[in-house]
Coordinates of all heavy atoms in Angstrom, one line a residue:
M1 N 0.8 -1.2 0.0 CA 0.0 0.0 0.0 C 0.9 1.2 0.0 O 1.8 1.3 0.7 CB -0.9 0.0 1.2 CG -1.8 1.2 1.3 SD -3.0 1.0 2.7 CE -3.4 2.6 3.0
V2 N 0.5 2.2 -0.8 CA 1.3 3.4 -1.0 C 0.5 4.5 -0.3 O -0.7 4.7 -0.4 CB 1.5 3.8 -2.5 CG1 2.1 5.1 -2.6 CG2 2.4 2.7 -3.1
T3 N 1.2 5.3 0.5 CA 0.6 6.4 1.3 C 1.1 7.8 0.7 O 2.3 8.0 0.5 CB 1.0 6.4 2.8 OG1 0.5 5.1 3.3 CG2 0.4 7.5 3.5
N4 N 0.2 8.6 0.4 CA 0.5 10.0 -0.1 C 1.5 10.7 0.8 O 1.4 10.7 2.0 CB -0.8 10.8 -0.2 CG -0.6 12.1 -1.0 OD1 0.3 12.2 -1.8 ND2 -1.4 13.1 -0.7
G5 N 2.5 11.2 0.1 CA 3.6 12.0 0.8 C 4.8 11.2 1.2 O 5.8 11.8 1.6
K6 N 4.7 9.9 1.2 CA 5.9 9.1 1.6 C 6.8 8.8 0.4 O 6.4 8.8 -0.7 CB 5.4 7.8 2.2 CG 4.7 8.0 3.5 CD 4.7 6.8 4.4 CE 4.2 7.2 5.8 NZ 4.2 6.0 6.7
R7 N 8.0 8.4 0.8 CA 9.1 8.1 -0.2 C 9.2 6.6 -0.3 O 9.3 5.9 0.7 CB 10.4 8.8 0.2 CG 11.5 8.5 -0.8 CD 12.8 9.3 -0.3 NE 14.0 9.0 -1.1 CZ 14.6 9.9 -1.9 NH1 14.2 11.1 -2.0 NH2 15.7 9.5 -2.6
Y8 N 9.3 6.1 -1.5 CA 9.3 4.6 -1.7 C 10.5 4.2 -2.6 O 10.9 5.0 -3.5 CB 8.0 4.1 -2.4 CG 6.9 4.2 -1.4 CD1 6.1 5.4 -1.4 CD2 6.6 3.2 -0.5 CE1 5.0 5.5 -0.5 CE2 5.5 3.4 0.4 CZ 4.8 4.5 0.4 OH 3.7 4.6 1.3
R9 N 11.1 3.1 -2.3 CA 12.2 2.6 -3.1 C 11.7 1.4 -3.9 O 11.1 0.4 -3.4 CB 13.3 2.2 -2.2 CG 14.5 1.6 -2.9 CD 15.8 1.7 -2.1 NE 16.1 3.1 -2.0 CZ 17.1 3.6 -1.1 NH1 17.8 2.7 -0.4 NH2 17.3 4.9 -1.1
L10 N 12.0 1.4 -5.2 CA 11.7 0.3 -6.1 C 13.0 -0.4 -6.4 O 14.0 0.2 -6.8 CB 11.0 0.8 -7.3 CG 9.7 1.5 -7.2 CD1 9.1 2.0 -8.5 CD2 8.6 0.7 -6.4
L11 N 13.0 -1.7 -6.2 CA 14.2 -2.5 -6.6 C 13.9 -3.2 -7.9 O 13.0 -4.0 -8.1 CB 14.4 -3.6 -5.5 CG 14.3 -3.2 -4.0 CD1 14.6 -4.3 -3.1 CD2 15.3 -2.0 -3.8
L12 N 14.7 -2.8 -8.9 CA 14.5 -3.3 -10.2 C 15.6 -4.4 -10.5 O 16.8 -4.1 -10.3 CB 14.7 -2.1 -11.2 CG 13.9 -0.9 -11.0 CD1 14.1 0.2 -12.0 CD2 12.4 -1.2 -10.9
N13 N 15.1 -5.5 -11.0 CA 16.0 -6.6 -11.3 C 15.6 -7.1 -12.7 O 14.6 -7.8 -12.8 CB 15.8 -7.7 -10.2 CG 16.7 -8.9 -10.5 OD1 17.6 -8.9 -11.4 ND2 16.6 -9.9 -9.7
N14 N 16.5 -6.7 -13.6 CA 16.2 -7.2 -15.0 C 16.9 -8.6 -15.2 O 18.1 -8.6 -15.5 CB 16.7 -6.2 -16.0 CG 16.4 -6.7 -17.4 OD1 15.8 -7.7 -17.6 ND2 16.9 -6.0 -18.4
N15 N 16.2 -9.6 -14.9 CA 16.7 -11.0 -15.0 C 16.4 -11.6 -16.4 O 15.9 -12.7 -16.5 CB 16.2 -11.8 -13.9 CG 17.0 -13.1 -13.7 OD1 18.1 -13.2 -14.1 ND2 16.3 -14.1 -13.2
S16 N 16.6 -10.8 -17.4 CA 16.3 -11.2 -18.8 C 17.4 -10.8 -19.7 O 18.2 -9.9 -19.4 CB 14.9 -10.6 -19.2 OG 15.1 -9.3 -19.6
G17 N 17.3 -11.3 -20.9 CA 18.3 -11.0 -21.9 C 17.9 -9.8 -22.8 O 18.5 -9.5 -23.8
D18 N 16.8 -9.0 -22.4 CA 16.4 -7.9 -23.1 C 16.7 -6.6 -22.3 O 16.6 -6.6 -21.1 CB 14.9 -7.9 -23.4 CG 14.5 -8.9 -24.5 OD1 15.4 -9.1 -25.4 OD2 13.4 -9.4 -24.5
E19 N 16.9 -5.5 -23.0 CA 17.0 -4.2 -22.4 C 15.6 -3.7 -22.2 O 14.7 -3.9 -23.0 CB 17.8 -3.2 -23.3 CG 17.9 -1.8 -22.7 CD 16.9 -0.9 -23.2 OE1 16.1 -1.2 -24.1 OE2 16.8 0.2 -22.6
H20 N 15.3 -3.0 -21.0 CA 14.0 -2.5 -20.7 C 14.1 -1.0 -20.3 O 14.6 -0.7 -19.2 CB 13.3 -3.3 -19.6 CG 13.1 -4.7 -20.0 ND1 12.2 -5.2 -20.8 CD2 13.8 -5.8 -19.5 CE1 12.3 -6.5 -20.9 NE2 13.2 -6.9 -20.1
P21 N 13.6 -0.1 -21.1 CA 13.4 1.3 -20.6 C 12.2 1.4 -19.7 O 11.0 1.4 -20.2 CB 13.3 2.1 -21.9 CG 12.8 1.2 -22.9 CD 13.2 -0.2 -22.5
V22 N 12.4 1.4 -18.4 CA 11.2 1.4 -17.5 C 10.8 2.8 -17.1 O 11.6 3.6 -16.7 CB 11.6 0.6 -16.2 CG1 10.5 0.5 -15.2 CG2 12.1 -0.8 -16.6
H23 N 9.5 3.1 -17.3 CA 9.0 4.4 -17.2 C 7.9 4.5 -16.1 O 7.0 3.6 -16.1 CB 8.4 4.8 -18.5 CG 7.8 6.2 -18.5 ND1 8.4 7.3 -18.0 CD2 6.5 6.6 -19.0 CE1 7.5 8.3 -18.2 NE2 6.4 7.9 -18.7
L24 N 8.0 5.5 -15.3 CA 6.9 5.8 -14.2 C 6.2 7.0 -14.6 O 6.8 8.1 -14.8 CB 7.6 5.9 -12.9 CG 6.7 6.2 -11.7 CD1 5.8 5.0 -11.4 CD2 7.5 6.5 -10.4
H25 N 4.9 6.9 -14.8 CA 4.1 8.1 -15.1 C 3.9 9.1 -14.0 O 3.8 8.6 -12.8 CB 2.7 7.7 -15.6 CG 2.7 7.2 -17.0 ND1 1.7 7.6 -17.9 CD2 3.5 6.3 -17.7 CE1 2.0 7.0 -19.1 NE2 3.1 6.2 -19.0
R26 N 3.8 10.3 -14.3 CA 3.3 11.4 -13.3 C 4.2 11.6 -12.1 O 3.9 12.3 -11.2 CB 1.9 11.1 -12.9 CG 0.9 10.9 -14.0 CD -0.5 10.9 -13.7 NE -0.9 10.0 -12.6 CZ -1.2 10.5 -11.4 NH1 -1.3 11.8 -11.1 NH2 -1.5 9.7 -10.4
H27 N 5.3 10.9 -12.0 CA 6.3 11.1 -10.9 C 7.7 11.1 -11.5 O 8.0 10.5 -12.6 CB 6.2 9.9 -9.9 CG 4.9 9.8 -9.3 ND1 3.7 9.4 -9.9 CD2 4.5 10.1 -8.0 CE1 2.7 9.4 -9.1 NE2 3.2 9.8 -7.9
S28 N 8.6 11.8 -10.8 CA 10.0 11.6 -11.1 C 10.6 10.7 -10.0 O 10.0 10.5 -8.9 CB 10.7 12.9 -11.0 OG 10.2 13.8 -12.0
F29 N 11.7 10.1 -10.3 CA 12.4 9.3 -9.3 C 13.9 9.6 -9.2 O 14.4 10.1 -10.2 CB 12.1 7.8 -9.5 CG 12.5 7.2 -10.9 CD1 13.8 7.0 -11.3 CD2 11.4 6.9 -11.8 CE1 14.1 6.5 -12.5 CE2 11.7 6.5 -13.0 CZ 13.1 6.3 -13.4
E30 N 14.5 9.3 -8.1 CA 15.9 9.4 -7.9 C 16.6 8.1 -8.0 O 16.1 7.1 -7.4 CB 16.2 10.0 -6.6 CG 17.7 10.3 -6.4 CD 18.1 10.9 -5.0 OE1 17.2 11.0 -4.1 OE2 19.2 11.4 -4.9
I31 N 17.6 8.0 -8.9 CA 18.3 6.7 -9.0 C 19.2 6.6 -7.8 O 20.1 7.5 -7.6 CB 19.1 6.6 -10.3 CG1 18.1 6.8 -11.5 CG2 19.9 5.3 -10.4 CD1 18.8 6.9 -12.8
T32 N 19.0 5.6 -7.0 CA 19.8 5.5 -5.7 C 20.9 4.4 -5.8 O 21.7 4.3 -4.9 CB 18.9 5.3 -4.5 OG1 18.1 4.1 -4.8 CG2 18.0 6.5 -4.2
K33 N 20.8 3.5 -6.8 CA 21.8 2.5 -6.9 C 21.7 1.9 -8.3 O 20.6 1.7 -8.9 CB 21.6 1.4 -5.9 CG 22.8 0.4 -5.8 CD 22.4 -0.7 -4.8 CE 23.0 -0.4 -3.4 NZ 22.9 -1.6 -2.5
I34 N 22.9 1.7 -8.9 CA 23.0 1.0 -10.2 C 24.0 -0.1 -10.0 O 25.1 0.1 -9.6 CB 23.4 1.9 -11.4 CG1 22.3 2.9 -11.7 CG2 23.7 1.0 -12.6 CD1 22.7 3.8 -12.9
G35 N 23.5 -1.4 -10.1 CA 24.3 -2.5 -9.8 C 24.6 -2.4 -8.3 O 23.7 -2.2 -7.5
D36 N 25.9 -2.5 -7.9 CA 26.3 -2.4 -6.5 C 26.7 -1.0 -6.1 O 27.1 -0.7 -5.0 CB 27.5 -3.3 -6.2 CG 27.1 -4.8 -6.3 OD1 25.9 -5.1 -6.0 OD2 27.9 -5.6 -6.7
K37 N 26.6 0.0 -7.0 CA 27.1 1.3 -6.8 C 26.0 2.3 -6.3 O 25.1 2.6 -7.1 CB 27.7 1.8 -8.1 CG 28.4 3.2 -7.9 CD 29.1 3.7 -9.2 CE 29.7 5.0 -9.0 NZ 30.1 5.6 -10.3
P38 N 26.1 2.7 -5.1 CA 25.1 3.7 -4.6 C 25.3 5.1 -5.3 O 26.4 5.4 -5.7 CB 25.4 3.9 -3.1 CG 26.2 2.7 -2.8 CD 27.0 2.3 -4.0
M39 N 24.2 5.8 -5.5 CA 24.4 7.1 -6.1 C 23.2 8.0 -5.7 O 22.2 7.5 -5.1 CB 24.4 7.0 -7.6 CG 23.2 6.3 -8.3 SD 23.4 6.1 -10.0 CE 23.4 7.7 -10.6
S40 N 23.3 9.3 -5.9 CA 22.2 10.2 -5.6 C 22.3 11.4 -6.6 O 23.2 11.6 -7.2 CB 22.4 10.7 -4.1 OG 23.6 11.4 -4.0
G41 N 21.2 12.1 -6.6 CA 21.1 13.3 -7.3 C 20.7 13.2 -8.8 O 20.5 14.3 -9.4
V42 N 20.5 12.0 -9.3 CA 20.1 11.9 -10.7 C 18.6 11.6 -10.7 O 18.1 10.6 -10.2 CB 20.8 10.7 -11.4 CG1 20.3 10.6 -12.8 CG2 22.3 11.0 -11.4
I43 N 17.8 12.6 -11.2 CA 16.3 12.5 -11.2 C 15.9 12.2 -12.6 O 16.2 12.9 -13.6 CB 15.7 13.9 -10.7 CG1 16.4 14.3 -9.4 CG2 14.2 13.8 -10.6 CD1 16.1 13.4 -8.2
K44 N 15.0 11.2 -12.7 CA 14.5 10.8 -14.0 C 13.1 10.4 -13.9 O 12.6 10.2 -12.8 CB 15.3 9.6 -14.6 CG 16.8 9.8 -14.8 CD 17.1 10.6 -16.0 CE 18.6 10.7 -16.3 NZ 18.8 11.5 -17.5
D45 N 12.4 10.1 -15.1 CA 11.2 9.4 -15.0 C 11.2 8.1 -15.8 O 10.2 7.4 -15.9 CB 10.0 10.3 -15.4 CG 10.0 10.7 -16.9 OD1 10.8 10.2 -17.7 OD2 9.2 11.6 -17.2
T46 N 12.4 7.8 -16.4 CA 12.6 6.6 -17.2 C 14.1 6.2 -16.9 O 15.0 7.0 -16.8 CB 12.5 6.8 -18.7 OG1 11.2 7.4 -19.0 CG2 12.7 5.5 -19.4
I47 N 14.2 4.9 -16.7 CA 15.6 4.3 -16.5 C 15.7 3.1 -17.5 O 14.9 2.3 -17.6 CB 15.9 3.9 -15.0 CG1 17.3 3.4 -14.9 CG2 14.8 2.9 -14.5 CD1 17.7 3.1 -13.5
S48 N 16.8 3.2 -18.2 CA 17.1 2.1 -19.1 C 17.8 1.0 -18.3 O 18.8 1.2 -17.7 CB 18.0 2.5 -20.2 OG 18.4 1.4 -21.0
M49 N 17.2 -0.2 -18.3 CA 17.7 -1.4 -17.6 C 18.4 -2.3 -18.6 O 17.7 -3.0 -19.3 CB 16.6 -2.1 -16.9 CG 16.0 -1.3 -15.7 SD 17.1 -1.0 -14.4 CE 17.5 -2.6 -13.8
P50 N 19.7 -2.3 -18.7 CA 20.4 -3.3 -19.6 C 20.1 -4.7 -19.1 O 19.7 -5.0 -18.0 CB 21.9 -3.0 -19.4 CG 21.9 -1.6 -18.8 CD 20.7 -1.5 -17.9
R51 N 20.3 -5.6 -20.1 CA 20.0 -7.0 -19.7 C 20.8 -7.5 -18.5 O 22.0 -7.1 -18.4 CB 20.2 -7.9 -20.9 CG 21.5 -7.8 -21.6 CD 21.5 -8.3 -23.0 NE 22.8 -8.4 -23.5 CZ 23.3 -9.6 -24.0 NH1 22.6 -10.6 -24.1 NH2 24.6 -9.6 -24.4
Y52 N 20.2 -8.3 -17.7 CA 20.8 -8.8 -16.5 C 21.5 -7.7 -15.6 O 22.6 -7.8 -15.3 CB 21.8 -9.9 -16.8 CG 21.2 -11.0 -17.6 CD1 21.5 -11.2 -19.0 CD2 20.3 -11.9 -17.1 CE1 20.9 -12.2 -19.8 CE2 19.7 -12.9 -17.8 CZ 20.0 -13.0 -19.2 OH 19.4 -14.0 -19.9
S53 N 20.7 -6.7 -15.3 CA 21.1 -5.6 -14.5 C 20.2 -5.3 -13.3 O 19.0 -5.8 -13.3 CB 21.3 -4.3 -15.3 OG 20.0 -3.9 -15.7
T54 N 20.7 -4.6 -12.3 CA 19.8 -4.2 -11.2 C 20.0 -2.7 -10.9 O 21.0 -2.1 -11.3 CB 20.2 -5.0 -9.9 OG1 21.5 -4.7 -9.5 CG2 20.0 -6.5 -10.1
A55 N 19.0 -2.1 -10.4 CA 19.0 -0.7 -10.0 C 18.0 -0.5 -8.9 O 17.1 -1.3 -8.7 CB 18.7 0.2 -11.2
E56 N 18.1 0.6 -8.2 CA 17.2 1.0 -7.2 C 16.8 2.4 -7.5 O 17.6 3.3 -7.7 CB 17.7 0.8 -5.8 CG 18.0 -0.6 -5.4 CD 18.5 -0.8 -4.0 OE1 18.5 0.2 -3.2 OE2 19.0 -1.9 -3.7
I57 N 15.5 2.7 -7.4 CA 15.0 4.1 -7.6 C 14.0 4.4 -6.5 O 13.3 3.6 -6.0 CB 14.3 4.2 -9.0 CG1 13.1 3.2 -9.1 CG2 15.3 3.9 -10.1 CD1 12.3 3.4 -10.4
D58 N 14.1 5.7 -6.1 CA 13.2 6.2 -5.1 C 12.2 7.2 -5.7 O 12.6 8.1 -6.5 CB 13.9 7.0 -4.0 CG 14.7 6.0 -3.0 OD1 14.8 4.8 -3.4 OD2 15.1 6.6 -2.0
F59 N 10.9 7.1 -5.4 CA 10.0 8.1 -5.8 C 9.2 8.6 -4.6 O 9.0 7.8 -3.6 CB 9.1 7.7 -6.9 CG 7.9 6.7 -6.5 CD1 6.7 7.3 -6.2 CD2 8.2 5.4 -6.3 CE1 5.6 6.4 -5.8 CE2 7.1 4.5 -5.9 CZ 5.9 5.1 -5.6
I60 N 8.7 9.8 -4.6 CA 7.9 10.4 -3.6 C 6.5 10.3 -4.1 O 6.2 10.8 -5.2 CB 8.3 11.8 -3.2 CG1 9.7 11.8 -2.6 CG2 7.3 12.4 -2.2 CD1 10.3 13.1 -2.4
A61 N 5.6 9.7 -3.3 CA 4.2 9.6 -3.7 C 3.5 11.0 -3.5 O 3.0 11.3 -2.4 CB 3.5 8.5 -2.9
N62 N 3.6 11.8 -4.5 CA 3.1 13.2 -4.3 C 2.1 13.6 -5.4 O 1.9 14.8 -5.6 CB 4.3 14.2 -4.3 CG 5.1 14.1 -5.6 OD1 4.8 13.4 -6.5 ND2 6.2 14.9 -5.6
D63 N 1.5 12.6 -6.1 CA 0.5 12.9 -7.1 C -0.5 11.8 -7.1 O -0.4 10.9 -7.9 CB 1.2 13.1 -8.5 CG 0.3 13.7 -9.5 OD1 -0.8 14.0 -9.2 OD2 0.7 13.8 -10.7
P64 N -1.5 11.8 -6.2 CA -2.4 10.7 -6.0 C -3.2 10.4 -7.3 O -3.4 11.3 -8.1 CB -3.4 11.2 -4.9 CG -2.6 12.3 -4.2 CD -1.7 12.9 -5.2
G65 N -3.6 9.2 -7.4 CA -4.3 8.7 -8.5 C -3.6 7.5 -9.1 O -2.6 7.0 -8.6
P66 N -4.2 6.9 -10.2 CA -3.6 5.8 -10.8 C -2.3 6.2 -11.6 O -2.4 7.1 -12.4 CB -4.7 5.3 -11.8 CG -5.7 6.3 -11.9 CD -5.5 7.3 -10.7
T67 N -1.3 5.5 -11.3 CA 0.0 5.8 -11.9 C 0.5 4.6 -12.7 O 0.8 3.5 -12.1 CB 1.0 6.2 -10.8 OG1 0.6 7.4 -10.2 CG2 2.4 6.4 -11.4
F68 N 0.7 4.8 -14.0 CA 1.1 3.7 -14.8 C 2.6 3.5 -14.7 O 3.4 4.5 -14.7 CB 0.7 4.0 -16.3 CG 0.6 2.8 -17.2 CD1 0.2 1.6 -16.8 CD2 0.9 3.0 -18.5 CE1 0.2 0.5 -17.6 CE2 0.9 1.9 -19.4 CZ 0.5 0.7 -19.0
F69 N 3.1 2.3 -14.6 CA 4.5 1.9 -14.5 C 4.8 0.8 -15.5 O 4.1 -0.3 -15.4 CB 4.8 1.5 -13.0 CG 6.2 1.1 -12.7 CD1 7.2 2.0 -12.9 CD2 6.5 -0.1 -12.2 CE1 8.5 1.7 -12.6 CE2 7.8 -0.5 -11.9 CZ 8.8 0.5 -12.1
H70 N 5.6 1.0 -16.4 CA 5.7 0.0 -17.5 C 7.1 0.1 -18.3 O 7.8 1.1 -18.2 CB 4.6 0.3 -18.5 CG 4.7 1.6 -19.2 ND1 5.2 1.7 -20.5 CD2 4.3 2.9 -18.9 CE1 5.2 3.0 -20.9 NE2 4.7 3.7 -19.9
C71 N 7.3 -0.9 -19.0 CA 8.4 -0.9 -20.0 C 8.0 -0.1 -21.2 O 6.8 -0.2 -21.7 CB 8.8 -2.3 -20.4 SG 10.1 -2.3 -21.6
H72 N 8.9 0.7 -21.8 CA 8.5 1.5 -23.0 C 8.5 0.7 -24.3 O 8.0 1.2 -25.3 CB 9.5 2.7 -23.1 CG 8.9 4.0 -22.8 ND1 7.7 4.4 -23.3 CD2 9.3 5.0 -21.9 CE1 7.4 5.6 -22.8 NE2 8.4 6.0 -22.0
H73 N 9.0 -0.5 -24.3 CA 8.9 -1.3 -25.5 C 7.5 -1.8 -25.7 O 7.0 -2.5 -24.8 CB 9.9 -2.4 -25.5 CG 11.3 -2.0 -25.7 ND1 11.7 -1.2 -26.7 CD2 12.4 -2.3 -24.9 CE1 13.0 -1.0 -26.6 NE2 13.5 -1.7 -25.5
Q74 N 6.8 -1.4 -26.7 CA 5.4 -1.8 -26.9 C 5.2 -3.3 -26.8 O 4.2 -3.8 -26.2 CB 4.9 -1.2 -28.2 CG 3.4 -1.5 -28.4 CD 2.5 -0.7 -27.4 OE1 2.7 0.5 -27.2 NE2 1.6 -1.4 -26.7
D75 N 6.1 -4.1 -27.4 CA 5.9 -5.5 -27.4 C 6.0 -6.1 -26.0 O 5.4 -7.0 -25.7 CB 6.8 -6.2 -28.4 CG 8.3 -5.9 -28.2 OD1 8.6 -4.8 -27.7 OD2 9.1 -6.7 -28.6
H76 N 6.9 -5.5 -25.2 CA 7.0 -5.9 -23.8 C 5.8 -5.6 -23.0 O 5.3 -6.4 -22.2 CB 8.2 -5.3 -23.1 CG 9.5 -5.7 -23.8 ND1 10.7 -5.2 -23.4 CD2 9.8 -6.6 -24.8 CE1 11.7 -5.7 -24.2 NE2 11.1 -6.6 -25.0
M77 N 5.2 -4.4 -23.3 CA 4.0 -4.0 -22.6 C 2.9 -4.9 -23.0 O 2.1 -5.4 -22.2 CB 3.6 -2.6 -23.0 CG 3.8 -1.6 -21.8 SD 2.8 -0.1 -22.1 CE 3.3 0.5 -23.6
D78 N 2.8 -5.3 -24.3 CA 1.8 -6.2 -24.8 C 1.9 -7.5 -24.1 O 0.9 -8.2 -23.9 CB 1.9 -6.3 -26.3 CG 1.5 -5.1 -27.1 OD1 0.9 -4.2 -26.5 OD2 1.9 -5.0 -28.3
E79 N 3.1 -7.9 -23.7 CA 3.3 -9.2 -23.0 C 3.1 -9.1 -21.5 O 3.3 -10.1 -20.8 CB 4.7 -9.7 -23.4 CG 4.8 -10.1 -24.8 CD 6.3 -10.4 -25.2 OE1 7.2 -10.2 -24.4 OE2 6.5 -10.7 -26.4
G80 N 2.8 -7.9 -21.0 CA 2.4 -7.7 -19.6 C 3.3 -7.0 -18.7 O 3.1 -6.9 -17.5
F81 N 4.4 -6.4 -19.3 CA 5.3 -5.6 -18.5 C 4.7 -4.2 -18.2 O 5.1 -3.2 -18.8 CB 6.7 -5.5 -19.2 CG 7.8 -5.0 -18.3 CD1 9.1 -5.3 -18.7 CD2 7.6 -4.2 -17.2 CE1 10.2 -4.9 -17.9 CE2 8.6 -3.8 -16.4 CZ 9.9 -4.1 -16.8
A82 N 3.7 -4.2 -17.3 CA 3.1 -3.0 -17.0 C 2.3 -3.2 -15.7 O 1.9 -4.3 -15.4 CB 2.1 -2.6 -18.1
G83 N 2.2 -2.1 -14.9 CA 1.4 -2.2 -13.7 C 0.9 -0.9 -13.3 O 1.3 0.2 -13.9
L84 N 0.1 -0.9 -12.3 CA -0.6 0.3 -11.9 C -0.3 0.5 -10.4 O -0.5 -0.4 -9.6 CB -2.1 0.2 -12.1 CG -2.9 1.5 -12.3 CD1 -2.3 2.3 -13.5 CD2 -4.3 1.1 -12.6
I85 N 0.2 1.7 -10.0 CA 0.4 2.1 -8.6 C -0.7 3.1 -8.3 O -0.8 4.1 -9.0 CB 1.8 2.7 -8.3 CG1 2.9 1.7 -8.7 CG2 1.9 3.2 -6.9 CD1 4.3 2.3 -8.7
T86 N -1.5 2.8 -7.3 CA -2.7 3.7 -7.0 C -2.7 4.0 -5.5 O -2.5 3.2 -4.7 CB -4.0 3.0 -7.4 OG1 -4.0 2.6 -8.8 CG2 -5.2 3.9 -7.1
Y87 N -2.8 5.3 -5.3 CA -3.0 5.8 -3.9 C -3.8 7.0 -3.9 O -4.0 7.7 -4.9 CB -1.6 6.0 -3.2 CG -0.7 7.0 -3.9 CD1 -0.7 8.3 -3.5 CD2 0.0 6.6 -5.0 CE1 0.1 9.2 -4.1 CE2 0.8 7.6 -5.6 CZ 0.9 8.9 -5.2 OH 1.6 9.8 -5.8
R88 N -4.3 7.4 -2.7 CA -5.1 8.6 -2.6 C -4.4 9.7 -1.9 O -3.6 9.4 -1.0 CB -6.4 8.3 -1.8 CG -7.3 7.3 -2.5 CD -8.5 7.0 -1.6 NE -9.3 5.9 -2.2 CZ -10.5 5.7 -1.9 NH1 -11.1 6.4 -1.0 NH2 -11.2 4.7 -2.4
Ligands
LIG101 CU1 11.0 -4.1 -21.9

């Protein structure tokens, strides 16, 4: 459950042989780790996930409503790489 105003960390694990440009609608996020390397200060709304890579991103839940979260490749979305984060 997501609460309005709180900060959340998403752990991204691309355990596939495809690259995925992962996009979060209506929010920006801070990239806090790529692989094993912590980082800060890079704000995006899309992160390209190379094959077999990991990353961590933080977003602040500051725009209530349904928020689409998906891979930008249409064929990946068609296969189900998409979800909805909803909070009030
Ligand atoms: Cu993809």
Side-chain angles (χ1 to χ4, degrees):
M1 179 170 157
V2 173
T3 301
N4 189 23
K6 293 202 169 179
R7 182 176 172 115
Y8 291 91
R9 178 157 296 170
L10 301 179
L11 311 181
L12 308 179
N13 180 6
N14 181 5
N15 192 26
S16 79
D18 283 333
E19 180 267 347
H20 301 284
V22 180
H23 177 51
L24 181 64
H25 279 226
R26 306 193 311 110
H27 298 72
S28 298
F29 53 76
E30 181 177 17
I31 301 171
T32 53
K33 192 184 265 190
I34 292 180
D36 293 330
K37 186 179 177 190
M39 58 186 294
S40 63
V42 177
I43 309 296
K44 299 284 188 181
D45 66 12
T46 304
I47 181 171
S48 174
M49 294 294 299
R51 54 200 190 126
Y52 303 110
S53 68
T54 60
E56 296 182 7
I57 60 175
D58 285 13
F59 77 96
I60 296 171
N62 59 4
D63 193 3
T67 296
F68 200 34
F69 181 60
H70 65 97
C71 177
H72 252 309
H73 288 311
Q74 185 65 51
D75 55 332
H76 296 175
M77 252 201 305
D78 292 345
E79 291 167 0
F81 193 154
L84 209 52
I85 299 169
T86 302
Y87 60 96
R88 296 179 187 198

